[in-house]
């Protein structure tokens, strides 16, 4: 069986950013541009967008009609987010699996990205179906357990929910290489990941947890430093820092204050690192498990 190192897989994203500084700078600039465009779109959508955000992020569960209307209102932002996500993920896959295919910072918008978009939409549908099936099964089990009393129903319901969460997480890990396979093999590979990850689920799960944990530490440290510096520049006013993190979306002048723009510049490389660290493990795991040799671009410098 092929040996897969959870540590090597988890830290692949940090290696990519370290060894490709020029590309990372382009990705940071791209993240900043996306933030600016996202802000412009949000402001142009007006009060309806803010109300839709409130529906989706609110504590109360919205009804299906209200949720659909909110999604419809935010569709320009959601479509942009999906395209940007697939472009960024494809760029990370390209630098790991097709290093010679430079482009502009490995960023492109072609059939590779289209296939990743289609795969994402297919997985959203599959995820919704699985979640519905698991919810129905859990409700039926809890209903059956209620015959033995309320406490038994609560315990069985809790155990069923934990089992369901574990099952969904396991399925997600087993299917997690689908985007990398789809990119590498130039075809929609919806379930191929299930075969290639057989016997490696725990290693992959550990790698993903380690990668995200490392990134969370980096984000917390960076945000702590930003908040401290920003507070000092504003005479200790933490409310001003909060406004930069959640700016007024009523107008362009209210949104794009110097402080908010400064925050977007600061956050851009963090966003670039996040995408790299989250996407790279699947690419290198596929490379190892498939036995695919790494492509070396001998004509390009290491910092391409």
């Amino acid at each position: 069986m092929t040996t897969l190192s959870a540590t090597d897989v988890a830290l692949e994203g940090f290696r990519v950013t370290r060894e490709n500084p020029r590309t990372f700078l382009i990705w940071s600039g791209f993240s900043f541009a996306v933030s600016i465009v996202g802000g412009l779109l949000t402001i142009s959508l007006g009060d309806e967008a803010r109300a839709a955000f409130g529906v989706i992020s609110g504590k109360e569960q919205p009804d299906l009609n209200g949720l659909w209307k909110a999604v419809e209102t935010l569709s320009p932002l959601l479509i942009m987010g999906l395209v940007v996500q697939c472009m960024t993920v494809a760029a990370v896959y390209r630098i790991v699996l097709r290093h010679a295919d430079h482009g502009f910072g490995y960023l492109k918008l072609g059939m590779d990205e289209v296939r990743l978009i289609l795969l994402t939409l297919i997985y959203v549908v599959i995820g919704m179906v699985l979640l519905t099936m698991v919810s129905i099964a859990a409700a039926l089990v809890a209903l059956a357990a209620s015959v033995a009393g309320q406490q038994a129903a609560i315990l069985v319901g809790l155990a069923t929910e934990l089992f369901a969460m574990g099952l969904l997480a396991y399925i997600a890990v087993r299917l997690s290489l689908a985007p990398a396979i789809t990119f590498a093999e130039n075809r929609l590979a919806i379930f191929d990941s299930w075969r290639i990850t057989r016997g490696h689920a725990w290693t992959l799960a550990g790698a993903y947890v380690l990668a995200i944990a490392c990134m969370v530490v980096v984000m917390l440290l960076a945000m702590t430093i930003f908040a401290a510096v920003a507070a000092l520049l504003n005479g200790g006013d933490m409310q001003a820092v909060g406004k930069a993190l959640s700016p007024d979306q009523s107008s362009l002048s209210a949104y794009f204050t110097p402080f908010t723009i400064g925050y977007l510049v600061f956050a851009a490389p963090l966003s670039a690192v996040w995408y790299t660290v989250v996407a790279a493990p699947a690419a290198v795991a596929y490379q190892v498990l498939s036995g695919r040799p790494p492509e070396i671009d001998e004509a390009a410098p290491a910092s391409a």
Side-chain angles (χ1 to χ4, degrees), residues 33-264:
V34 168
S35 297
I36 296 295
V37 173
L40 291 172
L41 262 178
T42 303
I43 294 167
S44 67
L45 292 173
D47 294 336
E48 288 187 1
R50 287 187 285 278
F53 276 123
V55 169
I56 293 175
S57 61
K59 294 181 180 179
E60 295 183 5
Q61 179 136 9
D63 60 85
L64 191 59
N65 187 42
L67 183 60
W68 178 254
K69 188 175 179 181
V71 170
E72 187 179 1
T73 300
L74 296 175
S75 57
L77 283 170
L78 295 174
I79 292 170
M80 186 190 80
L82 178 60
V83 172
V84 167
Q85 174 184 306
C86 291
M87 284 181 65
T88 309
V89 169
V92 176
Y93 289 167
R94 199 167 279 120
I95 204 171
V96 175
L97 300 172
R98 302 179 194 161
H99 198 73
D101 189 9
H102 304 155
F104 179 68
Y106 297 89
L107 289 165
K108 296 183 179 183
L109 185 57
M111 286 308 300
D112 288 326
E113 289 72 19
V114 170
R115 280 188 288 269
L116 289 177
I117 290 171
L118 290 175
L119 183 70
T120 302
L121 295 174
I122 291 170
Y123 267 26
V124 167
V125 174
I126 292 174
M128 291 173 64
V129 171
L130 284 174
L131 189 59
T132 302
M133 291 172 60
V134 167
S135 299
I136 292 173
L140 290 175
V141 170
L143 181 63
S146 65
V147 177
Q150 185 177 5
Q151 288 190 343
I154 293 173
L155 288 174
V156 170
L158 179 60
T160 304
E161 285 185 14
L162 291 175
F163 174 79
M165 289 171 60
L167 178 62
L168 291 174
Y170 176 77
I171 293 172
V173 170
R174 290 296 303 273
L175 295 177
S176 63
L177 300 192
I181 299 172
T182 294
F183 176 86
E185 301 184 6
N186 300 316
R187 62 184 179 85
L188 275 175
I190 301 172
F191 298 114
D192 296 51
S193 177
W194 195 268
R195 173 185 54 81
I196 200 173
T197 57
R198 184 180 294 116
H200 300 283
W202 287 109
T203 303
L204 286 170
Y208 297 151
V209 170
L210 179 58
I212 292 174
C214 290
M215 197 60 228
V216 167
V217 171
V218 170
M219 298 281 278
L220 287 175
L221 287 173
M223 292 306 298
T224 300
I225 293 170
F226 173 82
V229 172
L232 285 174
L233 292 176
N234 284 274
D237 185 4
M238 292 302 296
Q239 288 187 349
V241 178
K243 289 180 180 178
L245 300 178
S246 184
D248 184 355
Q249 300 173 354
S250 59
S251 66
L252 289 174
S253 59
Y255 187 90
F256 291 110
T257 63
F259 201 48
T260 298
I261 293 173
Y263 169 70
L264 294 180

